[in-house]
Amino acid sequence: MYKLKKINILAIALSCLLPTVVNAANQPAASQPNIVVIMADDVGIGDISALHRRYTNKPVVVETPAIDSLAAQGMSFTDAHSPTALCAPTRYSVMSGNNTYRAYAKWGVWSTFAKTAVTMEDATIGRIGKEAGYTTGFVGKWHLGGTFLGKDGKVYKGAKGGPKSKNIDLTKWVAGNPKELGFDYDFTAPTGVQGPTYSVHENGQWYKFDKASKIIYVDEHSALDKSFVADKGPGMGDSHWDATKLNMMLADKAAGFIKRSAKADKPFMLNYWSPATHIPHTPPKQIDGEKILGSTPTQHLDMTRVLDLEVARIINALKEAGEYENTLIIFTSDNGGLPEKSEIKAGHNSSATYNGRKNSPLEGGHRVPFIAVWPGKIKPGTSSDSLVNGTDIVATIASVTQVKLNENQAKDSWNLLPALLGESFTGRDFMMQQAGSQNQLMLREGDWKLIIQSNNKVTKREIAALYNLKDDPSEKRNLVKAPEHKTRVQTMFKKYWDIRESGQRTAPVNNKF
C-alpha cells in the first residue's frame, strides 16, 4: 500500500455510509457561503484570455472578460487537470470525487439511457449541499446516464440513438437524474448539445422548447436546422430543438435559481455544467443585442464568447441578488480544448503551449482552467502551483460546508480549502488519470508522467511513454526507453497498478473545521 503524504488538515474516517454535518444546525445561515460550481465543456487553458496572456505574448484573439474577472478576483491553479480527457468519465469523477476506474463503467457512461455510475453510497456535490442545509440546484449538461421508460412502460434499455431509440418515452426522467444525486431543482440537457438525445428536462419532466413542441425523431430532415444534429447522430428529442438557444436558456435558468434561492433564509449551491464549447458549434446571431455569430475567426471561438456570457449571467445574478460577496465560485472544464489549425495560425491555441487536445493523454488533453473566487476569503489575483484535479471539488465543498465524508466516499478528492485561504497546504504528490477513446492511463508523480496503453477491458498493460514535465512541458522527448530511467519506469508502472488493484484511497479522508 502506498502511503499518502502527511498534510496539515484533519483526517477523519467514519464508519457510516452517508455524509454527516458537523454543527451545521448550530450555525447561522449567513456563516455559510453560497457555492457555485461552473464546469465548461472542451475548454482548454488557452481559451481563457487571462490565461492566454500568461502563456504567450501573442495578441488575444477572443476575450473572455467574465471569466477573466474571476481570475482577477480569486486564485488560479497553474497545474490543474481534469480527471480524464473526455467529458462523460470526467463528470462521474467531478460529481463523486472518485477516479473513473472505481465505477462499473470504467471509461464513462455515454448513453442517456444507461445506468448512472454514481451509487447511492457516493457523496456527491448535491448530496453534500443537502446534508449541510443548502438549497441545491443543477443546471446544464448531465452525461451521467439515467433511467427512462419505454413506451411499453418498462425501463428502457435500448439504443442511445438512431431509429432503434424511437420506443423511448422522453417525457419523464424517472431515475439516475439530478434529484437522485441530491439536487432540489434541476434544468438539464441529458447530453448537452451533442446528442443523440435532443431534449431538456426540468425537475425530471420534459421541458418544451416551444408551445408547439412534440417529441419526435430528430434527424437532418426533421430538425429545425440540420446543423443541430450532432456527429453522435439522430435520436429522439424536441421538435423545436434549437442549439443556438440552448446555452443562454440554461444560463437564464441558473440566474433564476439564484434569484429565487437568495430570497430564502438558507444558503444555496448551484452546479452549472455548460455545454460550451462542445461540437456542434452553433452560435446565435446575437445575445442581448451583441453580435456573436461571425464575431471571431471561427464558430468555435464564437461559442467561447457564449460561454463567457453564460458566466457573466451567473455573476450578474449573484450581484443583483446581493449574494456575490458571500459566494464561493469554482470555474473549471471537463477536459482540454479543441485547438484548430486556423485558430493557431491566427494566434489562438486552446492548449496554450502544451501538446495534445481533448481525448489525448498529453497535457493539452487534460490541463484545464481551475479558478476559485470567494470575496474576503481568497486573496485576489493569486495563483497556486499545487497539483489539483476536478475530483477535488467534492472534498473542498465538504470542508467548506463542514460535512464529514467517510472512508468509502470521495476516495480521490483532496480538500483544497487551505490552499484557497492561503494557509499551509501540502497536497497530492501523485495523480492517476485516464485519457479517452484510445484507452491510455496516466500516472503523474512530481515532474514525471508515465503513460500506459490499455484497452477497453483493461487487460492490456503496455508502457507507452515517460515525460519530465519540468524539462519538457510540451512532451516532445519520450524517455521511456532511456536506460537511466528504466528503474523509474518500472517503479511508476508497478505503483499505478498496485494502487488501482488494491482499491485504496489516493486522498485522505479529511475536512478542515
Side-chain angles (χ1 to χ4, degrees):
M1 299 283 281
Y2 292 89
K3 295 182 179 180
L4 296 169
K5 196 192 306 182
K6 292 182 179 179
I7 60 174
N8 299 319
I9 43 184
L10 180 63
I12 304 171
L14 302 178
S15 59
C16 60
L17 287 176
L18 295 177
T20 57
V21 183
V22 177
N23 296 326
N26 299 322
Q27 292 186 347
S31 69
Q32 292 182 301
N34 307 306
I35 298 173
V36 174
V37 176
I38 303 172
M39 186 163 72
D41 196 340
D42 296 354
V43 170
I45 52 177
D47 290 319
I48 309 305
S49 51
L51 304 184
H52 170 97
R53 292 183 174 95
R54 293 184 185 180
Y55 287 93
T56 177
N57 293 322
K58 295 181 180 180
V60 171
V61 176
V62 57
E63 295 281 358
T64 53
I67 302 171
D68 288 3
S69 73
L70 297 180
Q73 296 165 27
M75 175 178 287
S76 301
F77 288 83
T78 60
D79 199 356
H81 302 260
S82 55
T84 80
L86 279 182
C87 54
T90 281
R91 288 163 198 276
Y92 161 81
S93 294
V94 171
M95 183 64 77
S96 68
N98 291 321
N99 284 334
T100 308
Y101 66 75
R102 300 187 190 278
Y104 86 87
K106 303 186 186 309
W107 300 99
V109 174
W110 292 94
S111 172
T112 300
F113 317 119
K115 177 184 175 182
T116 181
V118 180
T119 70
M120 296 304 293
E121 291 75 31
D122 286 329
T124 68
I125 294 171
R127 289 170 184 165
I128 290 169
K130 284 188 70 68
E131 287 290 334
Y134 280 60
T135 299
T136 56
F138 178 92
V139 178
K141 174 182 174 179
W142 187 243
H143 227 167
L144 287 169
T147 301
F148 289 76
L149 301 180
K151 293 179 180 179
D152 58 2
K154 298 179 181 179
V155 173
Y156 177 81
K157 296 182 179 179
K160 64 181 178 180
K164 292 183 178 180
S165 67
K166 290 183 178 181
N167 291 325
I168 190 72
D169 177 5
L170 272 185
T171 62
K172 188 176 182 179
W173 193 344
V174 299
N177 49 26
K179 181 179 180 180
E180 189 174 285
L181 271 60
F183 296 99
D184 299 312
Y185 169 80
D186 79 273
F187 190 82
T188 308
T191 56
V193 73
Q194 71 194 71
T197 306
Y198 301 94
S199 62
V200 288
H201 300 258
E202 188 168 37
N203 296 328
Q205 303 295 320
W206 168 47
Y207 180 91
K208 294 184 177 182
F209 256 79
D210 185 90
K211 291 181 180 179
S213 286
K214 297 178 181 180
I215 296 293
I216 66 168
Y217 183 65
V218 180
D219 61 14
E220 62 179 2
H221 304 293
S222 62
L224 294 181
D225 188 307
K226 65 179 183 180
S227 68
F228 297 166
V229 181
D231 65 331
K232 302 300 181 183
M236 299 303 289
D238 193 306
S239 59
H240 285 69
W241 174 264
D242 188 338
T244 67
K245 296 179 179 179
L246 178 63
N247 292 71
M248 297 315 294
M249 177 188 288
L250 295 171
D252 287 339
K253 289 291 184 178
F257 170 80
I258 289 170
K259 292 174 181 178
R260 291 193 307 273
S261 301
K263 297 176 181 178
D265 59 354
K266 60 180 182 178
F268 57 84
M269 179 184 294
L270 170 64
N271 197 31
Y272 184 80
W273 287 359
S274 170
T277 58
H278 199 288
I279 57 172
H281 296 139
T282 53
K285 291 182 179 179
Q286 60 84 29
I287 295 176
D288 298 335
E290 184 175 350
K291 180 181 177 181
I292 301 299
L293 179 62
S295 63
T296 76
T298 65
Q299 291 192 2
H300 169 227
L301 296 185
D302 288 349
M303 288 307 300
T304 302
R305 291 196 61 210
V306 173
L307 169 66
D308 193 69
L309 289 170
E310 293 174 63
V311 174
R313 190 79 101 223
I314 291 171
I315 292 174
N316 290 338
L318 289 168
K319 291 181 177 179
E320 290 170 6
E323 296 291 344
Y324 182 81
E325 297 297 321
N326 187 41
T327 301
L328 167 63
I329 303 173
I330 297 174
F331 174 87
T332 190
S333 177
D334 64 347
N335 46 248
L338 303 168
E340 297 183 10
K341 291 182 179 180
S342 62
E343 295 173 358
I344 293 174
K345 186 176 181 180
H348 181 96
N349 187 339
S350 294
S351 300
T353 55
Y354 295 98
N355 270 331
R357 53 180 283 145
K358 171 187 177 176
N359 199 41
S360 170
L362 300 179
E363 292 295 287
H366 48 85
R367 284 254 181 177
V368 294
F370 197 104
I371 302 167
V373 178
W374 188 359
K377 297 288 187 179
I378 298 175
K379 187 176 179 180
T382 54
S383 64
S384 170
D385 61 0
S386 294
L387 180 61
V388 303
N389 188 288
T391 54
D392 299 335
I393 292 172
V394 171
T396 302
I397 289 176
S399 184
V400 171
T401 58
Q402 299 194 4
V403 171
K404 288 185 178 180
L405 303 178
N406 70 52
E407 61 185 2
N408 295 311
Q409 295 171 327
K411 291 184 177 181
D412 309 295
S413 184
W414 284 75
N415 172 23
L416 303 180
L417 185 57
L420 298 177
L421 299 181
E423 300 173 358
S424 178
F425 176 72
T426 307
R428 57 166 57 82
D429 57 2
F430 71 89
M431 178 175 67
M432 299 170 69
Q433 295 173 278
Q434 63 188 50
S437 60
Q438 300 305 307
N439 306 122
Q440 294 100 342
L441 308 168
M442 297 92 81
L443 174 64
R444 169 79 180 272
E445 190 172 40
D447 295 326
W448 294 92
K449 173 178 167 184
L450 183 73
I451 300 175
I452 301 167
Q453 181 63 58
S454 190
N455 56 13
N456 188 260
K457 294 183 178 180
V458 199
T459 55
K460 182 178 181 179
R461 303 181 178 187
E462 295 181 359
I463 299 170
L466 177 72
Y467 296 105
N468 184 302
L469 297 178
K470 182 179 180 180
D471 298 336
D472 180 26
S474 296
E475 295 170 291
K476 295 180 179 179
R477 299 189 297 276
N478 184 355
L479 303 175
V480 73
K481 294 183 179 181
E484 64 270 29
H485 297 303
K486 181 178 180 179
T487 299
R488 180 182 299 278
V489 168
Q490 294 300 324
T491 300
M492 290 182 70
F493 180 77
K494 183 177 185 300
K495 180 175 182 175
Y496 178 91
W497 292 109
D498 283 352
I499 293 173
R500 178 163 175 160
E501 292 177 342
S502 72
Q504 73 179 86
R505 301 181 62 92
T506 68
V509 186
N510 65 73
N511 284 280
K512 181 181 185 297
F513 304 140

